[in-house]
Amino acid sequence: MTPRPALFFVGTAGFLLLASAAAADPRAQIRGEMDDELRAQLVRAVGEVDDPPSNRFEARRRARGALEAAEALLRSEGYYQPVLEDVVEGEETPVAIVNVTPGRRFELAEVQVLWAAPAPDAETETAVRGEIGLVPGQPGRAADVISGEGRIVAGLTRRGYADAEARPRRVVVDHAAFTVQPNYSIASGPLVRLDGVRLETRGPTNPDWVAGLAPWREGEVYDPEDVAELERRLLETGVYDGVGVALAPTDQTNADGHRPIIVTLTDRPRRILEAGATFSTAEGSGVDLIWTWHNRFGRADTLVWQARAADVDSRLGVSLSLPHWRRPGETLRLSTALLNEDTEAYRRTAIALAADLQQRIGKTSYLSYGVGLDAGQYHESRFDPFTQLPVAFDRDLVILTGRASAYLDRSNDPLDPTTGWRLTLSAQPTAVAGEDTVLFLRTEGQATAYLPLQAGAKTVLAGRVRIGSIIGGAELTVPADRLFYSGGGGSVRGFEYQGVGPRLPDNTPRGGLSLFETSIEIRRDVWRNFQAVAFVDAGAIGFQETPNFNNLRYGAGVGVRYKLPFGPIRADIAVPLDRRDGDADFQIYVSIGQAF
């Protein structure tokens, strides 16, 4: 008997909404005339207890503790003349109370900054004073006073005074004038200029290669962003367990008055052997054996040997990644593999070679370009648009592909975005030779966006649009693996892999020359680390260069996310809304990260 998806939906919802916590009691009631914001702050400062007081003595103890917490909060918010009274009401059911009269709120007076010799240069002094952010007349909040001091030190550090520090501050509270005057004592230290990089590691990393990653020249003024960028460049290689990048102590200043940056690297294991097995109702089973070599050439390189035996995609290959190839942020990737692909749409046995250069832009965006060469035998079941009949044929092909892509990421998290957007574009000019000769351009673009609907991103609306087109090729001449297909966990959920488009009489998926997909998803935090999701996906495969919606198909479903520190674990169940003969009743998807 086929399981009914409705039972899964009900069970999931019941599990997520099962727990309801009983409301805790405040340690003491807050009474008195004050604005709502201050009252809420006092209630939070006083705190909560699990049970009401059992007697008047316990109530009195709680009231006094709450009074002390309330007084500390009021002083931190600039109320230096409050009147507070702890009270206990009731005999059999005593209630702890704190009566609060905040009094007049003290205001900030003119900030004073005293420099411990040597003082910074006049331009820097003027700039950091302008960044304090404290204006006379503002409420005299303790947090603002401390933050202002921190902004002075941070401003000095950004301008090359790496040893800047705050000495003990003095805050004058004038009870007659109702003012709070911060008096900061700041030691800026000398202006620091940088030397080169000194590498400390037990691994084989080449010191000259690390020095070439430094985004500064000898003698330039220290900038913490430059130091952080060097650390990012080393971390993104993925071959180090630990990366430390720090300015050398003052006693290591050289004769020119420059100080080096010390880089400490802890290598990952030089060789890692991994084995794994996968199973999918849509793509079958597979076994993987991966042998990874790290830092083989002393420049944070990664060499990966892979053997995979699977129902759909078997391969034997090797790939080499060389980060920061000719300049920082540029990665060269070389790969070769023997392939045996056996999908419902085609079978392919081939050798594939590829070389790509990827240039990072900012922290998470990149541009990539390269070339690929494939040579092999294809067995394809296709549809002849002229005879309107299915046709099967074998052919030997050599395919040369230019590859260019761009990825722009303006979201706030790689695995669990809640705001921002992403854009992916790719173009692949392709030349096919052998038993067929054809030139075509395969283009594709995808945009995703994330909109928080509540404070704290408790509810997020996410959307995705993907469009693809093959220009210059015909449906029969374009190799089957270069056509567009749709369906599956990262595509249109509710349909199996390659299951959205029309099928031939023998149930073979028919690939197309164009693609359109869209998704909309509501993500809602429901309980602790759990998130509930509802979604609708749609997709269409077209047989002209321009995407069309003649055979648009829809899938819908719900899902659960369990949020871990590195990202969410995703479990979705979806059904096709316009199910055809041969389509499954539902599909289940489990993976790491959001669907998009």
Side-chain angles (χ1 to χ4, degrees):
M1 180 177 178
T2 303
R4 303 305 299 170
L7 296 178
F8 181 88
F9 300 162
V10 172
T12 300
F15 173 75
L16 293 175
L17 301 176
L18 183 63
S20 59
D25 295 321
R27 181 161 56 156
Q29 294 182 10
I30 300 296
R31 295 182 183 177
E33 296 293 329
M34 68 195 77
D35 61 66
D36 293 340
E37 181 180 355
L38 180 58
R39 184 182 301 277
Q41 289 177 294
L42 286 168
V43 169
R44 288 194 297 270
V46 164
E48 297 176 337
V49 291
D50 294 333
D51 303 303
S54 57
N55 52 57
R56 287 182 61 84
F57 176 79
E58 175 65 18
R60 175 67 66 183
R61 187 180 66 82
R62 291 185 181 181
R64 288 175 179 171
L67 183 147
E68 293 173 0
E71 184 176 23
L73 183 280
L74 289 168
R75 291 178 64 86
S76 71
E77 289 295 314
Y79 298 93
Y80 286 92
Q81 294 180 349
V83 177
L84 299 100
E85 180 186 14
D86 56 288
V87 178
V88 175
E89 292 183 352
E91 294 294 336
E92 295 184 0
T93 56
V95 177
I97 300 166
V98 177
N99 290 322
V100 178
T101 303
R104 180 173 170 179
R105 196 174 201 177
F106 285 44
E107 298 177 348
L108 288 173
E110 189 70 34
V111 174
Q112 300 295 321
V113 180
L114 303 176
W115 299 104
D121 62 85
E123 182 180 351
T124 298
E125 180 178 357
T126 301
V128 297
R129 282 181 179 272
E131 294 174 355
I132 295 175
L134 301 182
V135 179
Q138 287 182 338
R141 299 178 66 248
D144 293 341
V145 172
I146 296 171
S147 297
E149 182 180 70
R151 285 190 286 270
I152 296 175
V153 175
L156 289 168
T157 303
R158 286 197 309 273
R159 293 169 174 84
Y161 292 88
D163 304 312
E165 64 177 1
R167 303 282 174 84
R169 79 186 77 88
R170 187 168 65 93
V171 180
V172 178
V173 178
D174 189 331
H175 286 263
F178 298 98
T179 59
V180 176
Q181 183 182 51
N183 291 266
Y184 299 129
S185 178
I186 307 295
S188 67
L191 184 67
V192 175
R193 295 187 179 274
L194 293 178
D195 193 12
V197 172
R198 191 169 73 224
L199 178 62
E200 296 181 355
T201 181
R202 295 182 179 180
T205 300
N206 187 332
D208 292 336
W209 177 77
V210 175
L213 299 182
W216 68 84
R217 295 181 180 178
E218 184 177 348
E220 288 187 357
V221 173
Y222 168 84
D223 185 340
E225 276 302 312
D226 286 343
V227 176
E229 175 61 20
L230 177 57
E231 184 175 23
R232 279 194 294 268
R233 291 174 180 179
L234 291 167
L235 282 171
E236 72 182 13
T237 65
V239 306
Y240 302 110
D241 275 340
V243 175
V245 181
L247 181 67
T250 55
D251 59 4
Q252 296 185 24
T253 305
N254 65 18
D256 296 326
H258 303 162
R259 285 160 64 180
I261 294 294
I262 299 175
V263 173
T264 305
L265 300 177
T266 303
D267 282 47
R268 296 181 65 183
R270 296 290 304 281
R271 288 175 174 78
I272 300 175
L273 183 62
E274 301 170 274
T278 59
F279 176 76
S280 167
T281 56
E283 300 179 36
S285 58
V287 177
D288 287 277
L289 189 65
I290 299 174
W291 194 18
T292 304
W293 295 2
H294 288 131
N295 224 357
R296 176 68 177 79
F297 305 109
R299 48 156 1 271
D301 49 275
T302 301
L303 185 65
V304 179
W305 307 84
Q306 181 186 20
R308 175 175 172 79
D311 293 336
V312 171
D313 178 12
S314 298
R315 64 181 56 217
L316 184 64
V318 59
S319 63
L320 175 63
S321 176
L322 299 169
H324 310 301
W325 172 239
R326 295 175 303 179
R327 56 187 176 184
E330 183 182 70
T331 299
L332 173 64
R333 292 187 172 89
L334 305 172
S335 64
T336 182
L338 293 173
L339 309 172
N340 182 47
E341 294 179 321
D342 187 359
T343 74
E344 290 190 5
Y346 62 88
R347 293 201 305 271
R348 178 173 78 125
T349 302
I351 181 171
L353 307 171
D356 293 281
L357 277 172
Q358 178 179 294
Q359 178 64 53
R360 177 169 62 85
I361 304 172
K363 294 181 180 180
T364 56
S365 302
Y366 63 81
L367 296 173
S368 178
Y369 56 94
V371 64
L373 179 65
D374 295 30
Q377 184 179 68
Y378 287 73
H379 176 77
E380 302 167 270
S381 296
R382 306 291 286 274
F383 178 79
D384 189 334
F386 300 104
T387 65
Q388 299 291 303
L389 295 172
V391 58
F393 50 83
D394 295 327
R395 53 181 176 166
D396 296 326
L397 301 176
V398 177
I399 305 174
L400 180 65
T401 306
R403 306 194 291 200
S405 64
Y407 176 68
L408 302 178
D409 185 0
R410 296 296 182 267
S411 65
N412 62 333
D413 189 279
L415 289 176
D416 188 18
T418 58
T419 185
W421 55 269
R422 297 171 181 169
L423 178 64
T424 304
L425 301 171
S426 71
Q428 297 181 350
T430 304
V432 180
E435 296 184 25
D436 270 313
T437 302
V438 62
L439 297 173
F440 63 88
L441 175 65
R442 190 180 196 270
T443 62
E444 188 175 339
Q446 176 170 286
T448 59
Y450 312 94
L451 178 65
L453 301 181
Q454 285 182 306
K458 284 187 169 294
T459 302
V460 175
L461 175 66
R464 177 183 72 95
V465 175
R466 180 185 174 203
I467 296 176
S469 176
I470 294 175
I471 302 170
E475 183 183 344
L476 270 180
T477 57
V478 173
D481 66 316
R482 306 305 168 99
L483 294 173
F484 287 108
Y485 301 90
S486 183
S491 175
V492 181
R493 287 164 286 186
F495 295 87
E496 63 184 357
Y497 178 65
Q498 298 182 337
V500 164
R503 291 177 175 269
L504 303 183
D506 63 356
N507 211 33
T508 298
R510 180 184 173 188
L513 297 177
S514 62
L515 166 74
F516 174 80
E517 290 179 354
T518 186
S519 301
I520 189 166
E521 191 167 277
I522 292 286
R523 304 167 183 170
R524 167 71 178 176
D525 293 340
V526 291
W527 182 56
R528 295 186 180 176
N529 293 335
F530 284 94
Q531 185 181 70
V533 174
F535 57 85
V536 176
D537 299 340
I541 296 296
F543 305 102
Q544 300 81 34
E545 294 177 354
T546 304
N548 62 75
F549 313 101
N550 294 339
N551 53 5
L552 197 65
R553 309 198 67 78
Y554 300 88
V558 296
V560 178
R561 310 289 184 264
Y562 183 73
K563 294 188 176 183
L564 296 171
F566 60 84
I569 294 177
R570 170 171 72 105
D572 289 338
I573 182 169
V575 298
L577 297 184
D578 45 357
R579 182 174 175 271
R580 304 162 298 183
D581 291 340
D583 289 334
D585 289 341
F586 63 91
Q587 298 284 341
I588 296 176
Y589 310 94
V590 179
S591 66
I592 294 176
Q594 297 285 4
F596 57 88

